[in-house]
């Protein structure tokens, strides 16, 4: 099979397999056909990865920042050279249109490696002057062996969001992709080693949730970074607490996107489309509660429906396609059950809501209007192409409603009024806010959630503090006296 990897795992600088592990069938969501079969990590494989990651700690923490930077920059270049091949593999694995995976997956992954390659040299401590000439200095030391666990929506990008800062700071990594999307993390391991990363510094093991749980419980692991649902996040956070391990949690959301009467209509509609239907709606930060001020509501909905009729839905390998299938049959059924709840609870279905009549997990982009804050579709994360349009009268009212959620990942506002834009951004209870744009996440900017949506930040210099442990060294240049 064209997409079958050399082996299931990548440990100590080489592909490795143990075919006695539970089979993992990889399916192309565009057809429902199996494209590769891998094996979940057995106890032997997990132990091999832990031993390798632990042993490599010494060599990588002693590497200079220039050496780390060189490897990350070289890996970024190789990823760009192999972008077309990696985008194809990601499309086969996730069903996301090839026109998306070339920029948002392969391209964004290379950006992350390049950015953290450049940041590596700036990871330094402080000099702190004290009384009488005494002083202290701080050393940002690597935390050690880090476990990264990924979701299935951005497999390569998530692997890089965890690997790049961890490696820049001198840590070693074991990455476990979602078992639904195991392929591109293996390619990342290949690329990093091609770029000169020493064996054992970045390892990939495949498996179901229990493999992740075994890794987290191991005393050799110092830190866990998870991208996944709130429910998994709670379990992983609790397990990490047993060993007082450091955590980064990138979890789910139900983000608000507010459109005021004075917003540029085309820009606001573009924001709502990008924030609900990119990657068939399977994006954690999506603004799925679209609050539209009453004066612009009719115009907004009409224009939205016109623009949706232009979506090219179909085979994600076709470069013309801009809306592909969902990741799996299971996800399709979850999303369909939310659509049924929306209809049952009285929301007005104005677009989509039905499957395409073809093999694969295709669902039309779906829009509900007349949505009430209490409806299930306005409260729970659906993780699919379902937009809820709600209306409002005043700024004060909409801020209260936007924040009335247990999530706090992202929030957006569309308005021409500069003062109001910043007032609303300040009032949002979320980790990332957008003004007249939505869902961009460049590596230079911190990304992460407040409330139930997460702990810590990925991307940017903010990620450095989550992958280093600050050591303080106090020095006296004076005679030391004691009471006796
Ligand atoms: P899940 O929470 O189901 O799984 C996430 C990962 O955790 C998978 O690799 C899973 O393995 C693993 N896992 C499950 N149980 C355990 C456990 N007990 N211990 C250790 N690991 C475990 O999320 P999905 O993959 O379904 O992804 C969708 C979710 O991810 C959505 O809620 C979305 O919002 C969120 N997300 C958040 C992002 C962010 O940056 N904030 C970005 C992208 C997605 P397995 O698959 O084998 O169960």
């Amino acid at each position: 099979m064209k997409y079958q990897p050399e082996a299931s795992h990548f440990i100590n600088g080489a592909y490795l397999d143990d075919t006695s592990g539970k089979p993992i069938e990889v399916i192309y969501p565009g057809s429902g056909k199996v494209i590769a079969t891998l094996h979940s990590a057995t106890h032997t494989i997990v132990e091999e990865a832990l031993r390798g990651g632990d042993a490599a700690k010494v060599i990588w923490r002693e590497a200079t920042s220039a050496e780390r930077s060189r490897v990350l920059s070289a890996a970024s270049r190789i990823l760009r050279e192999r972008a077309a091949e990696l985008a194809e593999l990601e499309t086969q694995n996730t069903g996301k249109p090839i026109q998306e995976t070339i920029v948002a997956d392969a391209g964004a992954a290379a950006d992350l490696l390049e950015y953290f390659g450049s940041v590596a040299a700036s990871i330094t401590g402080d000099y702190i002057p004290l009384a009488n000439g005494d002083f202290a200095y701080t050393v940002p030391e690597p935390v050690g062996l880090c476990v990264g666990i990924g979701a299935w929506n951005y497999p390569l990008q998530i692997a890089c969001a965890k690997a790049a800062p961890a490696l820049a700071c001198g840590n070693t990594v074991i990455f476990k992709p979602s078992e639904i999307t195991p392929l591109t993390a293996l390619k990342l391991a290949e690329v990093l080693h091609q770029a000169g990363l020493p064996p054992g510094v970045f390892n990939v093991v495949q498996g179901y949730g229990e493999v992740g749980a075994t890794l987290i419980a191991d005393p050799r692991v110092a830190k866990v970074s998870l991208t996944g649902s709130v429910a998994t996040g709670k379990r992983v956070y609790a397990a990490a607490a047993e060993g007082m391990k450091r955590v980064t949690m990138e979890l789910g959301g139900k983000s608000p996107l507010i459109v005021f009467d004075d917003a540029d209509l085309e820009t606001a509609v573009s924001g709502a489309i990008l924030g609900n239907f990119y990657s068939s709606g399977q994006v954690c930060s999506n603004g799925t509660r679209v609050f539209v001020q009453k004066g612009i509501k009719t115009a907004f909905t009409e224009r939205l429906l016109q623009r949706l009729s232009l979506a090219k839905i179909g085979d994600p390998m076709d470069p013309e396609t801009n809306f592909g299938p969902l990741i799996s049959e299971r996800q399709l059924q979850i999303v369909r059950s939310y659509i049924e709840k929306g209809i049952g609870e009285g929301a007005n279905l104005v677009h989509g809501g039905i499957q395409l009549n073809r093999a694969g997990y295709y669902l039309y982009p779906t829009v509900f209007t007349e949505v009430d804050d209490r409806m299930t579709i306005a409260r729970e994360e659906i993780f699919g192409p379902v937009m809820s349009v709600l209306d409002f009268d005043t700024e004060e009212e909409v801020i209260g409603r936007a924040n009335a959620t247990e999530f706090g990942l992202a929030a957006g506002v569309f308005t021409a009024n500069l003062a109001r834009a910043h007032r609303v951004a300040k009032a949002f209870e979320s980790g990332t806010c957008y003004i007249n744009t939505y869902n961009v996440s460049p590596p230079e900017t911190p990304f992460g959630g407040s409330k139930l949506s997460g702990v810590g930040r990925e991307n940017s210099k903010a990620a450095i503090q989550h992958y280093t442990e600050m050591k303080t060294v106090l020095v006296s240049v004076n005679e030391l006296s004691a009471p006796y």
Side-chain angles (χ1 to χ4, degrees):
M1 277 189 279
K2 186 177 171 194
Y3 302 107
Q4 179 70 35
E6 207 176 310
S8 303
H9 320 283
F10 194 101
I11 297 171
N12 284 326
Y15 276 104
L16 189 68
D17 222 331
D18 179 351
T19 51
S20 65
K22 194 167 156 193
I24 296 172
E25 287 198 328
V26 187
I27 291 168
Y28 175 45
S31 67
K33 296 230 168 74
V34 175
I35 57 164
T37 303
L38 283 74
H39 295 273
S40 181
T42 55
H43 175 74
T44 317
I45 291 285
V46 170
E47 184 52 31
E48 196 66 23
L50 285 164
R51 217 179 302 135
D54 192 45
K57 272 190 325 198
V58 185
I59 176 165
W60 194 238
R61 70 184 297 149
E62 296 304 329
T64 63
S65 56
E67 285 164 340
R68 292 178 202 156
S69 172
R70 209 176 299 136
V71 169
L72 291 173
S73 307
S76 158
R77 267 195 308 279
I78 301 168
L79 269 189
R80 287 194 208 287
E81 281 159 21
R82 295 176 63 175
E85 166 210 342
L86 291 167
E88 179 178 334
L89 192 60
E90 200 73 309
T91 289
Q92 286 287 328
N93 208 169
T94 61
K96 294 190 294 180
I98 193 88
Q99 61 167 257
E100 281 190 21
T101 52
I102 195 79
V103 286
D105 296 83
D111 289 349
L112 280 161
L113 293 171
E114 193 166 32
Y115 173 78
F116 281 103
S118 73
V119 163
S122 68
I123 305 171
T124 56
D126 288 323
Y127 168 84
I128 305 159
L130 300 172
N132 304 318
D134 287 355
F135 63 93
Y137 60 91
T138 57
V139 189
E141 297 190 330
V143 293
L145 175 54
C146 303
V147 165
I149 300 178
W152 42 255
N153 58 343
Y154 283 87
L156 183 60
Q157 197 199 93
I158 290 172
C160 283
K162 303 199 185 304
L167 299 180
C169 295
N171 300 286
T172 59
V173 177
I174 300 175
F175 184 74
K176 190 207 84 72
S178 163
E179 89 281 357
I180 303 175
T181 51
L183 300 181
T184 44
L186 291 170
K187 294 290 173 195
L188 174 64
E190 249 180 47
V191 165
L192 283 166
H193 288 83
Q194 231 178 309
L197 194 74
V201 178
F202 180 77
N203 309 279
V204 176
V205 298
Q206 310 293 350
Y208 297 88
E210 74 262 10
V211 170
T214 308
L215 289 168
I216 297 161
D218 194 276
R220 287 165 286 190
V221 171
K223 182 197 161 93
V224 183
S225 177
L226 169 83
T227 297
S229 62
V230 171
T232 304
K234 287 180 181 174
R235 279 199 298 276
V236 170
Y237 203 173
E242 281 299 308
M244 211 54 85
K245 294 177 187 189
R246 277 62 188 141
V247 295
T248 302
M249 296 276 148
E250 292 292 348
L251 310 176
K254 189 74 196 176
S255 300
L257 190 158
I258 301 175
V259 181
F260 283 95
D261 281 350
D262 62 1
D264 179 86
L265 185 64
E266 284 305 310
T267 302
V269 170
S270 293
I273 288 173
L274 289 173
N276 278 269
F277 301 124
Y278 200 72
S279 297
S280 295
Q282 302 163 117
V283 181
C284 51
S285 47
N286 270 358
T288 47
R289 290 183 294 145
V290 181
F291 292 94
V292 184
Q293 204 165 18
K294 283 184 180 153
I296 199 177
K297 188 182 155 191
T298 307
F300 177 89
T301 314
E302 278 175 11
R303 189 65 188 127
L304 174 70
L305 297 185
Q306 279 166 8
R307 298 259 308 259
L308 284 181
S309 69
L310 305 175
K312 295 216 163 50
I313 308 173
D315 186 351
M317 291 298 287
D318 179 345
E320 293 298 310
T321 297
N322 52 26
F323 188 92
L326 295 178
I327 186 80
S328 63
E329 176 63 34
R330 179 167 178 269
Q331 194 63 18
L332 177 67
Q333 294 315 330
I334 289 172
V335 177
R336 288 197 58 188
S337 77
Y338 275 109
I339 292 170
E340 273 155 34
K341 275 188 193 131
I343 296 166
E345 291 176 19
N348 187 18
L349 178 68
V350 293
H351 195 272
I354 48 166
Q355 276 177 254
L356 258 72
N357 187 18
R358 58 180 287 171
Y361 316 122
Y362 296 87
L363 187 67
Y364 282 98
T366 299
V367 180
F368 281 104
T369 58
E370 313 308 322
V371 179
D372 186 284
D373 294 357
R374 287 160 301 185
M375 290 177 185
T376 309
I377 56 167
R379 287 186 294 105
E380 296 183 12
E381 183 183 46
I382 299 173
F383 222 58
V386 183
M387 180 195 295
S388 291
V389 179
L390 307 98
D391 56 30
F392 71 96
D393 289 303
T394 68
E395 182 181 320
E396 193 188 3
E397 169 209 338
V398 77
I399 288 171
R401 289 170 61 196
N403 286 337
T405 167
E406 57 189 3
F407 299 107
L409 191 55
V413 53
F414 286 81
T415 176
N417 181 329
L418 193 65
R420 175 157 62 195
H422 291 287
R423 226 173 23 237
V424 172
K426 184 168 189 296
F428 277 142
E429 295 170 359
S430 65
T432 305
C433 301
Y434 299 104
I435 296 175
N436 294 332
T437 185
Y438 206 85
N439 260 358
V440 281
S441 183
E444 299 89 341
T445 59
F447 182 82
S450 55
K451 303 202 260 185
L452 282 189
S453 293
V455 176
R457 293 292 178 268
E458 285 192 328
N459 297 2
S460 79
K461 290 182 194 150
I464 299 302
Q465 75 191 75
H466 299 295
Y467 284 98
T468 50
E469 193 75 72
M470 193 59 83
K471 176 183 274 177
T472 307
V473 182
L474 290 116
V475 183
S476 175
V477 293
N478 296 292
E479 199 174 310
L480 191 62
S481 62
Y484 52 87

